[in-house]
């Protein structure tokens, strides 16, 4: 199966679309959503990749963030993939916990059995999906940015830091700043990558920012009423690492906001404007 449309709806003069295709790197069928602004009718437009957090599919962002109005105004497409491989053949956390397995792919390539066959979200987001998008949609892939929420914020930051030539800018909402130093990340990395923590470093924003030679524009928003702030997200670690590496980042602590999509919806317009400034 190459690419099949599941649904389409007119939205702010553009189109909100949903597709299913077979992924070779994940070895399963995958769904993704794409918003095309009205400008895409005239020619290729820039694109923002959006990576969602734990428990999400491609649909949470599309239905809750309210991004389409801004993407329509700025003339950028938004691609929202799923957060893990899917299907009855794909192994899940034996305890069916929300923070590992299905809905929790952590945007890495797993090296450990039984995860390594399907859990290759890094290759899917960096290689397979952009190639498919470029070949099937009016997208200028030389003009790409990336953003995400929570686990997806970790995904956006690590993928951009590892591939600065592919992106004009990166932003994140409440990202997991150092998976190596929090329970969500330690559980996922231990299972997907094995016990040798030296192998975890290539998927940890703090470790990557220390070694970065390129400088991408980075915008991060974090609510101070987020119940995952202290135990899981730890933006102070990122602020310190960025300062030590002389890597300028804009980290904004937003008073009273929690971890939900109400927080994302409150600032998504500013994030799209930030990316548009770097893309247009
Ligand atoms: N289910 C978990 C929290 C999971 C969670 O907050 N997921 C965030 C991303 S880390 C999310 O976007 N959830 C889906 C949604 O709000 O639509 C819990 O109850 O502790």
């Amino acid at each position: 199966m190459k690419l099949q449309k599941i649904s389409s709806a007119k939205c702010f003069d553009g189109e909100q679309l949903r597709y299913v295709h077979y992924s070779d790197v994940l070895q399963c069928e995958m769904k993704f959503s794409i918003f095309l602004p009205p400008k895409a009718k005239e020619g290729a437009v820039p694109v923002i990749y959006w990576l969602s957090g734990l428990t999400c599919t491609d649909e949470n962002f599309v239905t809750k963030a309210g991004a389409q109005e801004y993407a329509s105004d700025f003339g950028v497409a938004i691609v929202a993939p799923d957060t893990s491989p899917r299907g009855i053949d794909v192994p899940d956390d034996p305890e069916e916990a929300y923070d590992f397995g299905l809905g929790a792919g952590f945007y890495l390539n797993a090296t450990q059995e039984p995860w390594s066959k399907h859990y290759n979200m890094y290759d899917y987001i960096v290689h397979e999906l952009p190639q498919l998008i470029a070949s099937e949609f009016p997208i200028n892939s030389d003009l790409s940015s990336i953003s995400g929420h929570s686990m997806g914020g970790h995904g956006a930051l690590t993928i951009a830091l590892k591939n600065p030539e592919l992106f004009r800018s990166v932003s994140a909402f409440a990202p997991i700043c150092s998976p190596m130093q929090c329970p969500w990340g330690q559980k996922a990395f231990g299972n997907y990558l094995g016990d040798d923590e030296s192998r975890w470093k290539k998927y940890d924003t703090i470790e990557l920012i220390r070694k970065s030679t390129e400088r991408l524009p980075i915008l991060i928003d974090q609510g101070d009423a987020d119940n995952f702030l202290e135990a899981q997200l730890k933006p102070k670690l990122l602020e310190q690492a960025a300062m030590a590496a002389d890597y300028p980042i804009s980290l904004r602590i937003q008073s009273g906001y929690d971890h939900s999509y109400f927080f994302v919806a409150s600032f998504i317009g500013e994030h799209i404007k930030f990316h548009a400034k770097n893309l247009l």
Side-chain angles (χ1 to χ4, degrees):
M1 178 204 301
K2 203 178 176 201
L3 190 63
Q4 266 177 28
K5 194 190 283 185
I6 303 171
S7 65
S8 69
K10 186 167 181 179
C11 186
F12 291 98
D13 272 336
E15 277 182 294
Q16 182 62 60
L17 303 152
R18 192 166 192 231
Y19 288 87
V20 60
H21 71 114
Y22 185 81
S23 162
D24 291 326
V25 300
L26 302 176
Q27 296 195 42
C28 62
E29 282 185 8
M30 289 296 284
K31 297 188 176 94
F32 68 86
S33 292
I34 177 168
F35 174 74
L36 291 175
K39 237 183 163 198
K41 291 181 200 118
E42 297 159 24
V45 294
V47 60
I48 299 171
Y49 284 86
W50 171 269
L51 306 183
S52 286
L54 294 167
T55 73
C56 290
T57 68
D58 60 300
E59 290 195 290
N60 299 67
F61 175 77
V62 166
T63 54
K64 292 185 172 180
Q68 293 92 344
E69 180 175 6
Y70 306 102
S72 174
D73 286 350
F74 286 108
V76 297
I78 303 182
V79 175
D82 205 342
T83 55
S84 76
R86 299 282 178 179
I88 47 166
D89 297 336
V90 177
D92 192 8
D93 187 321
E95 286 161 14
E96 295 179 27
Y98 74 91
D99 57 1
F100 178 68
L102 297 178
F106 272 84
Y107 305 103
L108 48 71
N109 291 335
T111 57
Q112 305 299 300
E113 295 292 338
W115 316 106
S116 51
K117 180 176 176 194
H118 297 283
Y119 283 81
N120 294 306
M121 287 298 287
Y122 178 83
D123 279 349
Y124 180 66
I125 302 296
V126 175
H127 302 296
E128 189 177 24
L129 185 61
Q131 280 163 21
L132 181 69
I133 296 293
S135 68
E136 300 289 335
F137 298 95
I139 297 295
N140 180 351
S141 40
D142 290 336
L143 298 175
S144 300
S145 290
I146 190 163
S147 183
H149 173 219
S150 195
M151 176 184 73
H154 140 76
L157 288 165
T158 53
I159 284 172
L161 288 168
K162 285 160 77 74
N163 303 280
E165 71 288 356
L166 298 182
F167 301 101
R168 299 292 171 113
S169 50
V170 53
S171 77
F173 293 80
I176 301 171
C177 291
S178 182
M180 294 183 71
Q181 300 183 64
C182 76
W184 278 342
Q186 287 159 353
K187 175 179 177 182
F189 283 19
N191 282 309
Y192 290 135
L193 303 173
D195 292 336
D196 179 358
E197 293 190 16
S198 66
R199 299 200 185 145
W200 299 7
K201 291 184 178 175
K202 65 179 181 172
Y203 297 112
D204 188 282
T205 296
I206 304 294
E207 295 294 330
L208 292 169
I209 214 158
R210 283 188 185 135
K211 294 186 201 115
S212 289
T213 50
E214 304 288 317
R215 295 288 180 263
L216 280 172
I218 299 183
L219 171 64
I220 297 170
D221 276 314
Q222 172 64 60
D224 70 1
D226 185 324
N227 52 334
F228 298 117
L229 180 57
E230 300 299 336
Q232 306 282 6
L233 307 174
K234 308 192 180 192
K236 279 204 182 78
L237 293 178
L238 177 52
E239 191 171 43
Q240 287 159 3
M243 208 178 284
D246 205 15
Y247 199 131
I249 62 170
S250 174
L251 169 62
R252 311 187 304 187
I253 303 300
Q254 303 289 2
S255 173
Y257 287 91
D258 66 14
H259 196 66
S260 71
Y261 264 96
F262 294 113
F263 162 58
V264 175
S266 302
F267 297 100
I268 193 69
E270 291 180 30
H271 282 237
I272 291 173
K273 188 174 179 186
F274 162 77
H275 291 301
K277 201 177 78 193
N278 291 292
L279 287 166
L280 300 171

